[in-house]
Amino acid sequence: MNKEIFEKKPLIKKSLLQRWFKQEPDENCVIEINNLFANKPIESVSIHDMELIVSKYGTNVYKSFGLNMEEFYITYINECCKNGIISEFELDNIKHLQSLLLIADHTATYYRQKLGIDVIDREYIKLLKNSMLDNNDFAHFNKLVQFFDIGDTILKGIKDKRNTQFVDSLAKPFIAKKRISYREFHELEQSLEIRNIKFPAHSKQMLNKYLSYWKLEKEPLQQWGTNQEIIKNEICLYEESNIDWFELRSDRGYSSYKFIKRGTIVMTNKKMYFFASDSSSKLAYTQIANVLALPDQVLIKKYKGKEPKLVSKKDQVIFEIMMKKIWNAHLSQNWPS
């Protein structure tokens, strides 16, 4: 039954003249059609059912009440769209209803297009979110596009917008932690491939960078070549130029980090070297209490003396990863041979 869509209504009472001449109010023809839809499933209503009502009133209802017929059609489509799932059964009913109401193809197409944009948008979002996609899902979606007569330009606009949002939602957790593993990268690629979404170049480039960070964290420390002057029996593990060195300074009772120098840092299995244009310094790990990788900075906590804050002008994430790896190797005394 369609009681939730079409509610049964009382007929209009005849006027005095209509009773005298045994006429029916023309409006009752529309009401009886409404009540027919309220009492019987759309698929069970026949052309003959409609003809019985029309002949009873002796009026060309399709012409006189054309807007009412169109409203029946729109109301049914809109109700089918409400739950966001347009079934094959409902699509067939919509076509059947058009034939019952004698609505012209161009009129039906106009209304389907007006209602269809939101339907296709919702259906495409659901398609993207479906974790158990198969060819039937795409076939049904394409059938909806065809039924609602959505043009290529509009469809492309819907897909481009929702694809971008979908890729962003997949990438969001990896952007937050700036890491992605081989398995996660592969699963993300598969998610896009099965949905026929081309991996955006900027997103792929960004995630490739996060993959390189993940690999760097997982790889064991290795020897690193350097031209800087370090003690011969030490192993160079990391070198980076363009490192800014800050120290805490007090000014008028307020303390803040002040830029001191810029240079190259060299990390060995014994100590940290810093080579600036006009000076060089070194700090043994035994003098360090902790190495803290904070957002956009590495803080060297010392047992005594000034505690430098270091910032990379190249890639702060790589700098932080390497500083943590080397500090953890010092704590465990697990150095590469």
Side-chain angles (χ1 to χ4, degrees):
M1 296 292 183
N2 308 302
K3 289 181 180 178
E4 294 182 1
I5 305 176
F6 303 105
E7 295 182 1
K8 192 171 181 178
K9 299 179 180 178
L11 296 176
I12 297 172
K13 292 182 179 180
K14 297 179 184 180
S15 66
L16 180 60
L17 284 176
Q18 286 170 335
R19 288 199 301 271
W20 284 354
F21 292 103
K22 297 182 179 180
Q23 294 177 338
E24 297 287 341
D26 287 347
E27 294 86 349
N28 280 348
C29 185
V30 175
I31 295 174
E32 286 209 40
I33 292 174
N34 174 83
N35 293 344
L36 175 64
F37 293 150
N39 291 323
K40 291 182 71 174
I42 293 296
E43 67 274 13
S44 299
V45 179
S46 66
I47 296 292
H48 180 64
D49 293 328
M50 298 289 290
E51 289 174 346
L52 286 176
I53 295 174
V54 173
S55 62
K56 175 181 175 181
Y57 288 87
T59 180
N60 187 355
V61 67
Y62 302 110
K63 182 176 181 180
S64 302
F65 296 98
L67 289 178
N68 298 87
M69 301 302 106
E70 291 172 12
E71 187 174 354
F72 286 138
Y73 183 70
I74 296 168
T75 299
Y76 187 76
I77 295 178
N78 194 51
E79 192 65 29
C80 290
C81 297
K82 275 187 177 179
N83 62 2
I85 303 173
I86 312 295
S87 66
E88 299 288 334
F89 174 74
E90 288 172 326
L91 290 178
D92 290 339
N93 272 356
I94 293 170
K95 293 175 184 177
H96 180 55
L97 186 60
Q98 180 188 345
S99 66
L100 292 175
L101 300 172
L102 298 185
I103 295 176
D105 285 341
H106 66 86
T107 302
T109 298
Y110 170 78
Y111 287 126
R112 288 201 306 271
Q113 286 178 332
K114 293 285 284 184
L115 294 169
I117 293 175
D118 287 339
V119 175
I120 294 302
D121 188 36
R122 290 199 305 266
E123 288 288 330
Y124 192 66
I125 292 172
K126 284 165 50 185
L127 195 70
L128 294 178
K129 290 182 177 179
N130 187 354
S131 59
M132 304 294 289
L133 277 177
D134 58 32
N135 291 333
N136 290 331
D137 295 307
F138 287 106
H140 181 63
F141 176 77
N142 292 332
K143 188 170 184 177
L144 285 175
V145 171
Q146 185 178 8
F147 175 77
F148 286 106
D149 203 18
I150 303 300
D152 292 341
T153 301
I154 293 176
L155 182 61
K156 184 179 183 303
I158 291 172
K159 285 187 172 182
D160 286 349
K161 177 182 178 180
R162 298 309 180 187
N163 288 349
T164 299
Q165 291 175 344
F166 182 70
V167 173
D168 289 347
S169 68
L170 290 183
K172 187 176 181 179
F174 308 116
I175 294 173
K177 62 182 180 180
K178 296 183 179 179
R179 305 290 189 277
I180 186 169
S181 68
Y182 280 120
R183 177 183 58 79
E184 291 167 332
F185 196 94
H186 179 63
E187 289 175 352
L188 192 149
E189 282 186 312
Q190 282 188 318
S191 293
L192 298 184
E193 185 178 346
I194 197 173
R195 291 166 174 80
N196 298 316
I197 299 176
K198 187 177 180 181
F199 208 145
H202 70 281
S203 298
K204 193 168 187 177
Q205 183 179 11
M206 176 181 61
L207 292 175
N208 271 321
K209 178 188 285 189
Y210 298 157
L211 178 61
S212 71
Y213 294 159
W214 178 84
K215 288 165 55 180
L216 185 60
E217 283 183 328
K218 299 300 179 183
E219 292 172 351
L221 281 171
Q222 299 177 1
Q223 292 194 38
W224 194 295
T226 181
N227 294 322
Q228 300 293 346
E229 192 173 321
I230 61 175
I231 297 175
K232 290 182 179 180
N233 65 346
E234 293 183 13
I235 303 171
C236 177
L237 301 171
Y238 177 58
E239 178 180 337
E240 183 67 76
S241 58
N242 286 331
I243 301 294
D244 286 348
W245 181 298
F246 297 83
E247 288 180 3
L248 205 58
R249 293 286 192 270
S250 295
D251 183 22
R252 299 177 184 177
Y254 294 96
S255 296
S256 61
Y257 279 98
K258 302 295 184 182
F259 174 78
I260 303 300
K261 53 188 174 181
R262 178 175 297 165
T264 298
I265 193 170
V266 174
M267 305 294 292
T268 75
N269 60 329
K270 299 290 185 182
K271 59 179 71 73
M272 178 183 83
Y273 293 85
F274 196 89
F275 301 96
S277 59
D278 57 352
S279 64
S280 63
S281 58
K282 55 188 176 182
L283 184 63
Y285 297 141
T286 54
Q287 298 174 269
I288 299 175
N290 202 358
V291 174
L292 300 178
L294 305 175
D296 301 322
Q297 56 187 283
V298 173
L299 183 62
I300 308 298
K301 302 291 290 183
K302 296 167 61 177
Y303 289 110
K304 58 182 180 179
K306 293 185 175 67
E307 299 179 336
K309 181 180 78 173
L310 306 176
V311 177
S312 172
K313 302 298 288 184
K314 291 185 177 180
D315 193 318
Q316 182 69 19
V317 176
I318 291 178
F319 178 56
E320 291 171 7
I321 290 172
M322 293 304 299
M323 293 294 284
K324 285 192 292 185
K325 284 178 71 171
I326 292 169
W327 177 246
N328 289 332
H330 161 69
L331 295 176
S332 63
Q333 287 299 297
N334 183 22
W335 302 108
S337 55

